[in-house]
Amino acid sequence: MAEGIGFFSSLRFRFALLLALFGGLLMAGAMTLVEQGIRQSLVRESVDKGLAVARGVAFNVEDPLLTGDDLYLFSSVGSAVQTPGIRYALIIDETGRIKAADDISRVGEPFVLPPTAVPVREGKDYRVARGDFEGVPVLDLAVPIVAVADPSLMLGEIHLGLSEEVIGAAVRSMRLRLSWLTLAALLVGALAAYLAATLFVRPVNALVRGVRAIGEGNLDQRIDLTGKDEFGLLTRAFNEMAESLREKEFIKNTFERYVSKPLAQQILLHKDQLQLGGEEKEVTILFCDIRGFTPLAEQLSPRQVVELLNAFFTRMVQVIGRYEGMVDKFMGDSIMTLFGAPLAQGDEPMRAVRCALELCQAVAAFNEERQGEGLAPLAVGIGINTGMVVAGNIGSHQRMEYTVVGDSVNVASRLEGMSSPGEILVSEGTFRQVEGRVEATLMPPMTLKGKSRPVGVYRIEGLAADPQGR
């Protein structure tokens, strides 16, 4: 048995337990089906026997019922209850009152089935309902008494109470025998499964040791187990996993959860260029925010708000990834994206503008889907600025986040806040680096919050028509 693994935690025990549970469920299902079949068969047999008795009584009590021969009626029901399995016998007249019964105290009472009675079976000339009679389950069998000369003339009914105690006893006896058989089969099957599992767990020990070492941070692991079976396949997969973890360890420890896949690959290829802690560099910052989201959210449930944001962000992040941008953070219904951090890819301002234009297209496509579902459209405002920032890990030793800080971030955020629905505003610093490659409109100088002087702002209309300007 592997080190540190108890008997009840071992693969052998679990395999045997799983087989035992499966076998138990299978046998339980089989027992249920067999029990239902036997019970239905016994019910049919009991009803058929009761029908023979009831029809005989109904045939013989026609004249006594018409002539008021109560003695004969009582004799008939008395004879009926002598039949094994019949709990009670009643003759009901056409008014629904008990005319004769094995229990004379019930004579004259209106006959009413127990409230718990439910229909079980019905034929052309009989009905069967299941209910409780003095705490004992019975099948109430009702057979009409008709005039021989005129079958359409109803004289009353015969009611026989067919006891289900005999049926229950037969079913319990069968269940007990099957239970013992099932227990024996489970014990033998579990033992066989335990022995078979023992033959397969030995190679697992080497894998356990390797996985444990990786869990402790030692990624220099390789298991030399050969074979063409599933364990050989598992070993090769383990070795490939360890190699992949060694390659990705740098990214895992420093940029987990906030770098896109293309950017992660670039970091892995150029990790020597990355400085942890903080560095001053030129970065293009893009803010994208849903306009009028608060009134829209007030009309939706919290779950619908989350679903809307997830669907929106999924489309936005896909576009950002295509332009090698890094999603810095999600802020409610807005996204902050970086171009040029943590690594510069080249021509960050133009990539940011192209990304912004495609973000607007993605929102339009998203709105077409929502319109088809009868939902309100969304609109976004986008602000872009290029400037010097300090980029690095910010936070505490327990929790750090890679981000950028500086006045350039505030400018991008202010531009986004001033943009109208569907509008892309860029700062003069960004426009100077994309001039000639985009169609833009110079806006009146704007005084941004926190700025004493107006800032030059341009509204991006699209890409330039000149192919060389791209």
Side-chain angles (χ1 to χ4, degrees), residues 163-184:
S163 175
E164 289 195 277
E165 289 182 332
V166 176
I167 297 175
V171 170
R172 287 191 296 272
S173 177
M174 177 277 302
R175 187 187 301 158
L176 180 61
R177 290 194 296 270
L178 285 180
S179 297
W180 282 112
L181 179 61
T182 300
L183 180 60

Side-chain angles (χ1 to χ4, degrees), residues 43 255 354:
V43 167
F255 293 103
R354 287 178 177 272

